[in-house]
Amino acid sequence: PLKGVDPDGWNHFRIEVRADKISVFAGERDDTLYHVLDYDGTQWVNDPYFGVLVSTGEYSNSTMRVDYYAVTPLDN
């Protein structure tokens, strides 16, 4: 389970892709975002696609809806 995420409601995710790591922040919609993950496997970031996988167990459902993306530079 992700800290601050509502499994039955809308949530807000921020994914920061940098040259040396990918950081994921999550929280309920219109609430505080919590840092939930750092990942250092960035070898495919520029090749040219980047994706996020959401996985659940056999009996727990998950539906991810994406309203919009905001892409902004983080590193020079």
Coordinates of all heavy atoms in Angstrom, one line a residue:
P1 N 0.8 -1.2 0.0 CA 0.0 0.0 0.0 C 0.9 1.3 0.0 O 1.9 1.3 0.7 CB -0.8 -0.1 1.3 CG -0.6 -1.5 1.8 CD 0.6 -2.1 1.1
L2 N 0.4 2.3 -0.7 CA 1.2 3.5 -0.8 C 0.6 4.5 0.3 O -0.6 4.6 0.5 CB 1.0 4.2 -2.1 CG 1.6 3.4 -3.3 CD1 1.3 4.2 -4.6 CD2 3.0 3.2 -3.2
K3 N 1.5 5.1 1.0 CA 1.2 6.0 2.1 C 0.3 7.2 1.5 O 0.7 7.8 0.5 CB 2.4 6.6 2.7 CG 2.1 7.6 3.8 CD 3.4 8.1 4.5 CE 3.1 9.1 5.6 NZ 4.3 9.6 6.2
G4 N -0.8 7.5 2.1 CA -1.7 8.6 1.7 C -2.5 8.4 0.5 O -3.2 9.3 0.1
V5 N -2.6 7.2 0.0 CA -3.3 6.9 -1.2 C -4.7 6.3 -0.8 O -4.7 5.4 0.0 CB -2.6 6.0 -2.2 CG1 -3.4 5.6 -3.4 CG2 -1.3 6.7 -2.7
D6 N -5.7 6.8 -1.4 CA -7.1 6.2 -1.2 C -7.4 5.1 -2.2 O -7.5 5.4 -3.4 CB -8.1 7.4 -1.3 CG -9.5 6.9 -1.1 OD1 -9.7 5.7 -0.8 OD2 -10.5 7.7 -1.2
P7 N -7.4 3.9 -1.8 CA -7.7 2.8 -2.8 C -9.0 2.8 -3.4 O -9.3 2.2 -4.5 CB -7.5 1.5 -2.0 CG -7.7 1.9 -0.6 CD -7.3 3.4 -0.5
D8 N -10.0 3.6 -2.9 CA -11.3 3.6 -3.4 C -11.7 5.0 -4.0 O -12.8 5.2 -4.4 CB -12.4 3.3 -2.3 CG -12.2 1.9 -1.7 OD1 -12.0 1.0 -2.5 OD2 -12.3 1.8 -0.5
G9 N -10.7 5.9 -4.1 CA -11.0 7.2 -4.6 C -10.0 7.7 -5.6 O -9.2 7.0 -6.1
W10 N -10.0 9.0 -5.8 CA -9.1 9.7 -6.8 C -7.8 10.0 -6.0 O -7.8 10.4 -4.9 CB -9.7 10.9 -7.3 CG -10.8 10.6 -8.3 CD1 -12.2 10.5 -8.0 CD2 -10.7 10.4 -9.7 NE1 -12.9 10.3 -9.2 CE2 -12.0 10.2 -10.2 CE3 -9.6 10.3 -10.5 CZ2 -12.2 9.9 -11.5 CZ3 -9.8 10.1 -11.9 CH2 -11.1 9.9 -12.4
N11 N -6.7 9.8 -6.7 CA -5.4 10.1 -6.2 C -4.6 11.0 -7.1 O -4.9 11.1 -8.3 CB -4.6 8.8 -5.9 CG -5.4 8.0 -4.8 OD1 -5.3 8.4 -3.7 ND2 -6.0 6.9 -5.2
H12 N -3.6 11.6 -6.6 CA -2.7 12.5 -7.4 C -1.3 11.9 -7.3 O -0.8 11.6 -6.2 CB -2.7 13.9 -6.8 CG -1.9 14.9 -7.4 ND1 -1.7 16.1 -6.9 CD2 -1.2 14.9 -8.6 CE1 -0.9 16.8 -7.7 NE2 -0.6 16.1 -8.7
F13 N -0.6 11.7 -8.4 CA 0.7 11.2 -8.5 C 1.6 12.2 -9.2 O 1.2 12.9 -10.1 CB 0.8 9.9 -9.3 CG 0.1 8.8 -8.7 CD1 -1.3 8.6 -8.9 CD2 0.7 7.9 -7.9 CE1 -2.0 7.5 -8.3 CE2 0.1 6.8 -7.3 CZ -1.3 6.6 -7.5
R14 N 2.8 12.3 -8.7 CA 3.9 13.1 -9.3 C 5.1 12.2 -9.5 O 5.5 11.6 -8.6 CB 4.3 14.3 -8.4 CG 5.3 15.2 -9.1 CD 5.6 16.5 -8.3 NE 6.5 16.2 -7.3 CZ 6.5 16.7 -6.0 NH1 5.5 17.4 -5.7 NH2 7.4 16.3 -5.1
I15 N 5.6 12.2 -10.8 CA 6.7 11.4 -11.1 C 7.8 12.3 -11.6 O 7.6 13.0 -12.6 CB 6.3 10.3 -12.2 CG1 5.2 9.4 -11.7 CG2 7.6 9.5 -12.5 CD1 4.5 8.6 -12.7
E16 N 8.9 12.3 -10.9 CA 10.1 13.2 -11.3 C 11.1 12.3 -11.9 O 11.7 11.4 -11.3 CB 10.6 13.8 -10.0 CG 9.7 14.8 -9.4 CD 10.3 15.6 -8.2 OE1 11.4 15.3 -7.8 OE2 9.6 16.4 -7.7
V17 N 11.4 12.5 -13.2 CA 12.4 11.8 -13.9 C 13.7 12.6 -14.0 O 13.6 13.7 -14.6 CB 11.9 11.4 -15.3 CG1 13.0 10.6 -16.0 CG2 10.6 10.6 -15.2
R18 N 14.7 12.2 -13.4 CA 16.0 12.9 -13.4 C 17.1 12.0 -14.1 O 16.8 10.9 -14.4 CB 16.4 13.3 -12.0 CG 15.4 14.2 -11.4 CD 15.9 14.7 -10.0 NE 14.9 15.5 -9.3 CZ 14.9 16.8 -9.5 NH1 15.7 17.5 -10.2 NH2 13.9 17.5 -8.8
A19 N 18.2 12.6 -14.3 CA 19.3 11.8 -15.0 C 19.7 10.6 -14.2 O 20.1 9.6 -14.7 CB 20.5 12.8 -15.2
D20 N 19.6 10.7 -12.8 CA 20.1 9.6 -12.0 C 19.1 8.8 -11.2 O 19.4 7.8 -10.6 CB 21.2 10.1 -11.0 CG 20.6 11.2 -10.1 OD1 19.5 11.7 -10.4 OD2 21.2 11.4 -9.0
K21 N 17.8 9.2 -11.2 CA 16.8 8.5 -10.5 C 15.4 8.9 -11.0 O 15.2 10.0 -11.6 CB 16.9 8.7 -9.0 CG 16.6 10.0 -8.5 CD 16.7 10.1 -7.0 CE 16.3 11.5 -6.5 NZ 16.4 11.6 -5.1
I22 N 14.4 8.1 -10.6 CA 13.0 8.4 -10.8 C 12.4 8.4 -9.5 O 12.5 7.4 -8.7 CB 12.3 7.4 -11.7 CG1 13.0 7.4 -13.1 CG2 10.8 7.6 -11.9 CD1 12.6 6.2 -14.0
S23 N 11.7 9.5 -9.1 CA 11.0 9.6 -7.8 C 9.5 9.6 -8.0 O 9.0 10.3 -8.9 CB 11.5 10.8 -7.0 OG 12.8 10.8 -6.7
V24 N 8.8 8.9 -7.2 CA 7.3 8.9 -7.3 C 6.8 9.4 -6.0 O 7.2 9.0 -4.9 CB 6.8 7.4 -7.5 CG1 5.3 7.4 -7.6 CG2 7.4 6.8 -8.8
F25 N 5.8 10.3 -6.1 CA 5.1 10.9 -5.0 C 3.6 10.6 -5.2 O 3.1 10.6 -6.3 CB 5.3 12.4 -5.0 CG 6.7 12.8 -4.8 CD1 7.6 12.9 -5.9 CD2 7.2 13.2 -3.5 CE1 8.9 13.2 -5.7 CE2 8.5 13.5 -3.4 CZ 9.4 13.6 -4.5
A26 N 2.9 10.4 -4.1 CA 1.5 10.0 -4.3 C 0.7 10.5 -3.1 O 1.2 10.7 -2.0 CB 1.3 8.5 -4.4
G27 N -0.6 10.8 -3.3 CA -1.5 11.2 -2.2 C -2.9 11.3 -2.7 O -3.2 11.3 -3.9
E28 N -3.8 11.5 -1.8 CA -5.2 11.7 -2.2 C -5.4 13.0 -3.0 O -4.6 14.0 -2.8 CB -6.1 11.7 -1.0 CG -6.2 10.3 -0.3 CD -7.2 10.3 0.8 OE1 -8.3 10.9 0.7 OE2 -6.9 9.7 1.8
R29 N -6.4 13.1 -3.8 CA -6.6 14.3 -4.6 C -6.8 15.5 -3.7 O -7.5 15.4 -2.7 CB -7.9 14.1 -5.4 CG -8.1 15.1 -6.5 CD -9.2 14.7 -7.4 NE -10.3 15.7 -7.2 CZ -11.5 15.5 -7.7 NH1 -11.8 14.5 -8.5 NH2 -12.4 16.4 -7.5
D30 N -6.1 16.6 -4.1 CA -6.2 17.9 -3.3 C -5.6 17.7 -1.9 O -6.0 18.5 -1.0 CB -7.6 18.4 -3.3 CG -8.1 18.7 -4.7 OD1 -7.3 19.1 -5.5 OD2 -9.3 18.5 -4.9
D31 N -4.7 16.8 -1.6 CA -4.1 16.6 -0.3 C -2.6 16.5 -0.5 O -2.1 16.7 -1.6 CB -4.7 15.3 0.3 CG -4.6 15.4 1.9 OD1 -4.0 16.3 2.4 OD2 -5.1 14.4 2.5
T32 N -1.9 16.3 0.6 CA -0.5 16.2 0.7 C 0.0 15.1 -0.2 O -0.5 14.0 -0.1 CB 0.0 16.0 2.1 OG1 -0.5 17.1 2.9 CG2 1.5 16.0 2.2
L33 N 1.1 15.3 -0.9 CA 1.8 14.2 -1.7 C 2.9 13.7 -0.8 O 3.7 14.5 -0.2 CB 2.4 14.8 -3.0 CG 1.4 15.1 -4.1 CD1 2.1 15.6 -5.3 CD2 0.5 14.0 -4.4
Y34 N 3.0 12.4 -0.7 CA 4.1 11.7 0.0 C 5.1 11.0 -0.9 O 4.7 10.5 -1.9 CB 3.5 10.6 0.9 CG 2.5 11.2 2.0 CD1 1.2 11.3 1.7 CD2 3.0 11.7 3.2 CE1 0.3 11.8 2.7 CE2 2.2 12.2 4.1 CZ 0.8 12.3 3.9 OH 0.0 12.8 4.8
H35 N 6.3 11.1 -0.6 CA 7.4 10.4 -1.3 C 7.2 8.9 -1.1 O 7.3 8.5 0.1 CB 8.8 10.9 -0.9 CG 9.9 10.3 -1.6 ND1 10.7 9.4 -1.1 CD2 10.3 10.5 -2.9 CE1 11.6 9.0 -1.9 NE2 11.3 9.6 -3.1
V36 N 7.0 8.2 -2.1 CA 6.7 6.7 -1.9 C 7.8 5.8 -2.6 O 7.9 4.6 -2.2 CB 5.3 6.3 -2.4 CG1 4.3 7.0 -1.6 CG2 5.1 6.6 -3.9
L37 N 8.6 6.3 -3.5 CA 9.5 5.4 -4.2 C 10.6 6.2 -4.8 O 10.4 7.3 -5.4 CB 8.8 4.6 -5.2 CG 9.6 3.7 -6.2 CD1 10.1 2.5 -5.4 CD2 8.7 3.3 -7.3
D38 N 11.9 5.7 -4.8 CA 13.0 6.1 -5.6 C 13.4 4.9 -6.4 O 13.6 3.8 -5.9 CB 14.1 6.7 -4.8 CG 14.0 8.1 -4.4 OD1 13.4 8.9 -5.2 OD2 14.5 8.5 -3.4
Y39 N 13.7 5.1 -7.7 CA 14.1 4.0 -8.6 C 15.3 4.5 -9.3 O 15.3 5.6 -9.9 CB 13.0 3.6 -9.5 CG 13.3 2.5 -10.4 CD1 13.6 1.2 -10.0 CD2 13.4 2.8 -11.8 CE1 13.9 0.2 -10.9 CE2 13.7 1.8 -12.7 CZ 13.9 0.5 -12.2 OH 14.2 -0.5 -13.1
D40 N 16.4 3.8 -9.4 CA 17.6 4.2 -10.1 C 17.8 3.6 -11.4 O 18.9 3.8 -12.0 CB 18.8 4.0 -9.2 CG 19.1 2.6 -8.9 OD1 18.4 1.7 -9.3 OD2 20.1 2.3 -8.2
G41 N 16.9 2.8 -11.9 CA 17.0 2.2 -13.3 C 16.6 3.2 -14.4 O 15.5 3.0 -14.9
T42 N 17.4 4.1 -14.7 CA 17.1 5.1 -15.7 C 17.7 4.9 -17.1 O 17.6 5.7 -17.9 CB 17.5 6.5 -15.2 OG1 19.0 6.5 -15.0 CG2 16.9 6.9 -13.9
Q43 N 18.2 3.7 -17.3 CA 18.9 3.4 -18.6 C 18.0 3.5 -19.8 O 18.4 3.8 -20.9 CB 19.5 2.1 -18.5 CG 18.6 0.9 -18.5 CD 18.2 0.5 -17.1 OE1 18.4 1.2 -16.1 NE2 17.8 -0.8 -16.9
W44 N 16.6 3.4 -19.6 CA 15.7 3.5 -20.8 C 15.0 4.8 -20.9 O 14.1 4.9 -21.8 CB 14.7 2.3 -20.7 CG 15.4 1.0 -20.6 CD1 15.4 0.2 -19.5 CD2 16.1 0.3 -21.6 NE1 16.1 -1.0 -19.8 CE2 16.6 -0.9 -21.1 CE3 16.5 0.6 -22.9 CZ2 17.3 -1.8 -21.8 CZ3 17.3 -0.3 -23.6 CH2 17.7 -1.5 -23.1
V45 N 15.2 5.8 -20.1 CA 14.5 7.0 -20.1 C 14.5 7.7 -21.4 O 13.5 8.3 -21.9 CB 14.9 7.9 -18.9 CG1 14.3 9.3 -19.0 CG2 14.5 7.3 -17.6
N46 N 15.6 7.7 -22.1 CA 15.8 8.5 -23.3 C 15.6 7.6 -24.6 O 16.0 8.0 -25.7 CB 17.1 9.2 -23.4 CG 17.2 10.3 -22.4 OD1 16.3 11.0 -22.2 ND2 18.3 10.4 -21.7
D47 N 15.0 6.4 -24.5 CA 15.0 5.5 -25.6 C 13.6 5.1 -26.2 O 13.4 4.0 -26.5 CB 15.6 4.2 -25.1 CG 17.1 4.1 -25.4 OD1 17.6 4.9 -26.2 OD2 17.7 3.2 -24.9
P48 N 12.8 5.9 -26.6 CA 12.4 7.3 -26.3 C 11.2 7.3 -25.4 O 10.6 8.3 -25.2 CB 12.1 7.9 -27.6 CG 11.4 6.7 -28.4 CD 12.1 5.5 -27.9
Y49 N 10.7 6.1 -24.9 CA 9.5 6.1 -24.1 C 9.7 5.8 -22.6 O 10.7 5.2 -22.2 CB 8.6 5.0 -24.7 CG 8.3 5.1 -26.1 CD1 8.9 4.4 -27.1 CD2 7.4 6.1 -26.5 CE1 8.7 4.5 -28.4 CE2 7.1 6.3 -27.9 CZ 7.8 5.5 -28.8 OH 7.5 5.6 -30.2
F50 N 8.8 6.3 -21.8 CA 8.8 6.1 -20.4 C 7.4 5.7 -20.0 O 6.5 6.3 -20.4 CB 9.3 7.4 -19.7 CG 9.1 7.4 -18.2 CD1 10.1 6.7 -17.5 CD2 8.1 8.0 -17.6 CE1 10.0 6.6 -16.1 CE2 8.0 7.9 -16.2 CZ 8.9 7.2 -15.5
G51 N 7.3 4.7 -19.1 CA 6.0 4.3 -18.7 C 5.9 3.9 -17.2 O 6.9 3.8 -16.6
V52 N 4.7 3.8 -16.7 CA 4.4 3.4 -15.3 C 3.5 2.2 -15.3 O 2.5 2.2 -16.0 CB 3.8 4.6 -14.6 CG1 3.4 4.2 -13.1 CG2 4.7 5.8 -14.5
L53 N 3.9 1.2 -14.6 CA 3.0 0.0 -14.5 C 2.4 0.0 -13.1 O 3.0 0.2 -12.1 CB 3.9 -1.3 -14.6 CG 3.2 -2.6 -14.3 CD1 2.2 -2.9 -15.4 CD2 4.3 -3.7 -14.2
V54 N 1.0 -0.3 -13.1 CA 0.3 -0.5 -11.9 C -0.2 -1.9 -11.8 O -0.7 -2.4 -12.8 CB -0.9 0.5 -11.8 CG1 -1.8 0.2 -10.6 CG2 -0.5 1.9 -11.9
S55 N 0.2 -2.6 -10.7 CA -0.2 -4.0 -10.6 C -0.9 -4.2 -9.3 O -0.7 -3.6 -8.3 CB 1.1 -4.8 -10.6 OG 0.8 -6.2 -10.5
T56 N -1.9 -5.2 -9.4 CA -2.7 -5.5 -8.2 C -2.7 -7.0 -8.1 O -2.3 -7.8 -9.0 CB -4.1 -5.0 -8.3 OG1 -4.7 -5.6 -9.4 CG2 -4.1 -3.5 -8.4
G57 N -3.2 -7.5 -6.9 CA -3.4 -8.9 -6.7 C -4.6 -9.5 -7.5 O -5.4 -8.7 -8.1
E58 N -4.8 -10.7 -7.4 CA -5.9 -11.4 -8.1 C -7.3 -10.9 -7.7 O -8.2 -10.8 -8.5 CB -5.9 -12.9 -7.9 CG -6.9 -13.7 -8.6 CD -6.8 -15.2 -8.4 OE1 -5.8 -15.6 -7.8 OE2 -7.7 -15.9 -8.9
Y59 N -7.5 -10.6 -6.4 CA -8.8 -10.2 -5.9 C -9.0 -8.7 -5.6 O -10.0 -8.2 -5.2 CB -9.1 -11.0 -4.7 CG -9.2 -12.5 -5.0 CD1 -8.2 -13.3 -4.6 CD2 -10.3 -13.0 -5.7 CE1 -8.2 -14.7 -4.9 CE2 -10.3 -14.3 -6.0 CZ -9.3 -15.2 -5.6 OH -9.4 -16.5 -5.9
S60 N -7.9 -7.9 -5.8 CA -8.0 -6.5 -5.5 C -7.9 -5.7 -6.9 O -7.0 -5.9 -7.6 CB -6.9 -6.0 -4.6 OG -5.7 -6.2 -5.1
N61 N -8.9 -4.9 -7.1 CA -9.1 -4.2 -8.4 C -8.3 -2.9 -8.4 O -8.1 -2.3 -7.3 CB -10.5 -4.0 -8.7 CG -10.8 -3.5 -10.1 OD1 -9.9 -3.5 -10.9 ND2 -12.0 -3.0 -10.4
S62 N -7.8 -2.4 -9.5 CA -7.2 -1.1 -9.6 C -7.5 -0.6 -11.0 O -7.4 -1.3 -12.0 CB -5.7 -1.3 -9.5 OG -5.1 0.0 -9.7
T63 N -8.0 0.7 -11.0 CA -8.2 1.4 -12.3 C -7.5 2.7 -12.2 O -7.7 3.5 -11.3 CB -9.7 1.7 -12.5 OG1 -10.4 0.4 -12.4 CG2 -10.0 2.3 -13.8
M64 N -6.6 2.9 -13.2 CA -5.9 4.1 -13.2 C -6.4 5.0 -14.3 O -6.5 4.6 -15.5 CB -4.4 3.9 -13.5 CG -3.5 5.1 -13.5 SD -1.8 4.8 -13.6 CE -1.3 5.1 -12.0
R65 N -6.9 6.2 -14.0 CA -7.4 7.2 -14.9 C -6.4 8.4 -14.9 O -6.0 8.8 -13.8 CB -8.8 7.6 -14.6 CG -9.8 6.5 -14.7 CD -11.2 7.1 -14.3 NE -12.2 6.0 -14.4 CZ -12.6 5.2 -13.4 NH1 -12.1 5.4 -12.2 NH2 -13.5 4.4 -13.7
V66 N -6.0 8.8 -16.1 CA -5.1 9.9 -16.2 C -5.8 11.1 -16.8 O -6.3 11.1 -17.9 CB -3.9 9.5 -17.0 CG1 -2.9 10.7 -17.1 CG2 -3.2 8.3 -16.4
D67 N -6.0 12.2 -16.0 CA -6.6 13.4 -16.5 C -5.7 14.2 -17.4 O -6.1 14.7 -18.4 CB -7.1 14.3 -15.3 CG -8.2 13.6 -14.6 OD1 -9.0 12.9 -15.2 OD2 -8.4 13.9 -13.4
Y68 N -4.5 14.4 -17.0 CA -3.6 15.2 -17.8 C -2.1 14.9 -17.4 O -1.9 14.4 -16.3 CB -3.8 16.7 -17.6 CG -3.6 17.2 -16.3 CD1 -2.4 17.7 -15.8 CD2 -4.7 17.2 -15.3 CE1 -2.2 18.2 -14.6 CE2 -4.5 17.7 -14.0 CZ -3.2 18.2 -13.7 OH -3.1 18.6 -12.4
Y69 N -1.2 15.3 -18.2 CA 0.2 15.2 -17.9 C 0.8 16.6 -17.9 O 0.4 17.4 -18.8 CB 1.0 14.4 -18.9 CG 0.8 12.9 -18.8 CD1 0.0 12.2 -19.7 CD2 1.4 12.2 -17.8 CE1 -0.2 10.8 -19.6 CE2 1.3 10.8 -17.7 CZ 0.5 10.1 -18.7 OH 0.3 8.8 -18.6
A70 N 1.7 16.9 -17.0 CA 2.4 18.1 -17.1 C 3.9 17.7 -17.1 O 4.4 17.1 -16.2 CB 2.2 19.0 -15.9
V71 N 4.6 18.1 -18.2 CA 6.0 17.7 -18.4 C 6.8 19.0 -18.2 O 6.6 19.9 -19.0 CB 6.2 17.1 -19.7 CG1 7.7 16.7 -19.9 CG2 5.3 15.9 -19.9
T72 N 7.7 19.0 -17.2 CA 8.6 20.1 -17.0 C 10.0 19.7 -16.8 O 10.2 18.6 -16.2 CB 8.1 21.0 -15.8 OG1 8.1 20.1 -14.6 CG2 6.7 21.5 -16.0
P73 N 11.0 20.4 -17.2 CA 12.4 20.0 -17.0 C 12.8 20.1 -15.5 O 12.4 21.0 -14.9 CB 13.2 21.0 -17.9 CG 12.3 22.2 -18.0 CD 10.9 21.7 -17.9
L74 N 13.5 19.1 -15.1 CA 14.0 19.1 -13.7 C 15.5 19.3 -13.6 O 16.1 19.8 -12.6 CB 13.6 17.8 -13.0 CG 12.1 17.6 -12.9 CD1 11.8 16.2 -12.3 CD2 11.5 18.6 -12.0
D75 N 16.2 18.8 -14.6 CA 17.7 18.9 -14.7 C 18.1 19.6 -15.9 O 17.4 19.6 -16.9 CB 18.3 17.5 -14.7 CG 18.1 16.7 -13.4 OD1 18.0 17.4 -12.4 OD2 18.0 15.5 -13.5
N76 N 19.3 20.3 -15.9 CA 19.8 20.9 -17.1 C 20.7 20.0 -17.8 O 21.3 19.1 -17.3 CB 20.6 22.2 -16.6 CG 19.6 23.3 -16.1 OD1 18.5 23.3 -16.5 ND2 20.1 24.1 -15.2

